[in-house]
Amino acid sequence: MPRTNTAETYGSVTKTFHWLTAFLILSAIPLGLIATDLAHRIAAGETALIAQTTLLFSLHKTIGIAAFLTALGRIIWALMQPRPGLLNGARKAEATLAGIVHWLLYGAMLITPLSGWVHHAATTGFAPIWWPLGQTLPFVPQSTLVADAADAIHFLSSRVLIVAILLHVAGALKHHMVDRDDTLRRMLPRAIVRQSPSTTQPGHALPLLAASLIWVGIISAGAAPALMSVTAPASPAPVAAAPGDWQVRQGTLALTIRQMGSPVQGEFTDWTAQISFADDPSQQVNGRVRVKVTIASLSLGSVTGQAMGGDFFDEATHPRAVFEGDILRRDAGFVADGTLTIKGNAVPVALPFDLVLSDEQAQMTGTLTLDRRDFGIGGSVTEEGTLAYGVDIAVNLTAQRMGPAD
Ligand code: HEM
Ligand code: HEM
């Protein structure tokens, strides 16, 4: 069997590329559907499924990237080859439909895996890709906006791909069983092809234009909600001003969990802090702090939804976490010593922190590791390897003195 295409039939390289891509894509689709379904069930509280879901997602992503690279190779090869003409080129409507479906398939072979890959790269952690390519992509920032747009495009383009494959297979079977021509045979290994392409062949312009319009629609529909949220009025300032001696101007409240051995980083964007503080080396208690955190403002990579569920933060019943305590002076630095209440569980917590005081500004940085079990978070995930018990918290903020210095 010749390796290259001829005007009559496909060569072995095109056939190998075709069936390899088909195999990889037809494996990625059910894996993606099943893994997504399991992820929804975790969000509903069935947390024992985490390990299984992570495995299926990793397999899905790894196969999906193989499909993308194979498709790239296939397209480059196709550009260098003659394309055998259609056997039913004279049947204009049928040939045009086949052309549109082929262009949709070519588009989906690239757009579907690429959007999945961008989604993965724009979020953190959860279900790593097994290829030694790293988990990020150059030019793709870690951003919820990019992740949401890529996720929507991945969903829509996977649906176009599924419909296009169904039409494509139906067409191939119709050629084989109804028209009884060589269309399917010439894509099969070692097939003897007797028919020649018809003398009339349809143009590429109309199918290409129709498929391109569909892709522009899909990409715009996928990216629109994310773009609109950029132009929407800004959400309330991340750190709202609260009365007190000191007012927080800016800050971050970050956390890192470890799922299946991989760190997943997140951040609460809505929290307020009331701080009274007077720097007095002669006293042990130098102030008091009260922090209120809106649980729903947490973004935690691709597991944000799951984190809100009943077995984790149970956001619906316990929408806020509160820390209240004294600011105590230590030999080096300070410690905020008090009670942290999450999900109704009040636990004594000491957060050591460094403070840099300059003029009327204070810069504070502190880290601490909490045990999620103390707060009844992820109670049904008893395996440390699945979800580590320790959760790292990192706080940094800049505050401005509001009242008099003493
Ligand atoms: C040809 C390749 C691929 C196909 C056909 C495909 C198809 C699918 C399908 C059908 C779903 C289920 C969507 C749903 O029902 O919501 C899905 C989900 C997903 N895929 Fe892919 N995918 C491919 C490649 C990739 C790649 C390369 C990655 C990442 C590196 C990826 C990441 C994801 C993720 C993270 C989800 C879950 C999305 C969510 O829960 O919102 N996919 N994929
Ligand atoms: C994920 C699955 C698949 C994808 C992405 C895919 C994609 C494609 C593409 C893009 C072409 C056009 C090649 C060209 O430009 O000449 C093609 C041709 C073809 N495919 Fe598929 N295909 C898939 C699965 C299948 C399956 C399952 C069958 C058989 C039932 C099949 C049968 C054929 C045949 C017979 C041709 C040649 C059509 C012709 O000569 O006009 N494909 N495929």
Side-chain angles (χ1 to χ4, degrees), residues 155-301:
F155 173 81
L156 292 172
S157 71
S158 71
R159 294 307 187 264
V160 171
L161 176 60
I162 292 170
V163 172
I165 292 174
L166 290 175
L167 289 170
H168 182 64
V169 171
L173 294 179
K174 185 216 171 233
H175 276 289
H176 198 66
M177 292 178 349
V178 179
D179 302 341
R180 292 181 181 277
D181 66 22
D182 278 344
T183 301
L184 176 58
R185 216 164 287 127
R186 69 184 186 174
M187 195 40 109
L188 297 176
R190 278 191 281 275
I192 298 159
V193 173
R194 296 184 191 83
Q195 282 173 305
S196 294
S198 40
T199 44
T200 327
Q201 290 293 324
H204 284 305
L206 184 61
L208 179 57
L209 180 71
S212 305
L213 285 177
I214 293 175
W215 283 121
V216 170
I218 296 286
I219 292 171
S220 316
L227 288 176
M228 267 150 56
S229 74
V230 175
T231 49
S235 51
V239 185
D245 291 354
W246 292 78
Q247 201 167 66
V248 177
R249 290 294 182 208
Q250 63 180 53
T252 52
L253 179 54
L255 89 175
T256 305
I257 61 166
R258 193 159 270 276
Q259 190 174 45
M260 305 304 293
S262 307
V264 183
Q265 283 157 356
E267 194 181 324
F268 291 96
T269 51
D270 184 17
W271 50 281
T272 56
Q274 253 176 288
I275 305 170
S276 56
F277 174 78
D279 189 19
D280 184 352
S282 67
Q283 296 290 322
Q284 206 210 353
V285 179
N286 275 204
R288 192 146 179 87
V289 59
R290 180 180 159 84
V291 181
K292 261 203 284 182
V293 182
T294 306
I295 298 295
S297 74
L298 172 69
S299 69
L300 190 58

Side-chain angles (χ1 to χ4, degrees), residues 10 83 111 138 187 217 219 286 347:
Y10 295 100
R83 187 175 180 275
I111 294 168
M187 195 40 109
I219 292 171
N286 275 204
V347 175

Side-chain angles (χ1 to χ4, degrees), residues 25 28-29 32-33 36 39-40 57 60-61 63-65 67-68 108-109 112-114 116-117 119-120 129 151 154-155 158-159 161-162:
I25 289 179
I29 291 175
L33 292 172
T36 304
H40 288 149
F57 263 127
H60 171 75
K61 293 173 184 182
I63 291 179
I65 287 175
F68 174 69
M109 283 192 283
T112 308
L114 198 58
W117 203 349
H119 174 228
H120 173 89
I129 296 165
D151 190 24
H154 192 60
F155 173 81
S158 71
R159 294 307 187 264
L161 176 60
I162 292 170

Side-chain angles (χ1 to χ4, degrees), residues 5 8 10 14 18-27 29 74-75 78 82-88 98 101-109 161 164-165 168-173 175 182-188 204:
N5 293 358
E8 273 76 38
Y10 295 100
T14 301
H18 176 269
W19 292 112
L20 185 59
T21 326
F23 171 73
L24 292 170
I25 289 179
L26 292 174
S27 309
I29 291 175
R74 172 175 187 184
I75 289 169
R83 187 175 180 275
L86 299 181
L87 299 179
N88 64 343
V101 170
H102 284 169
W103 286 116
L104 287 178
L105 289 170
Y106 275 124
M109 283 192 283
L161 176 60
I165 292 174
H168 182 64
V169 171
L173 294 179
H175 276 289
D182 278 344
T183 301
L184 176 58
R185 216 164 287 127
R186 69 184 186 174
M187 195 40 109
L188 297 176
H204 284 305

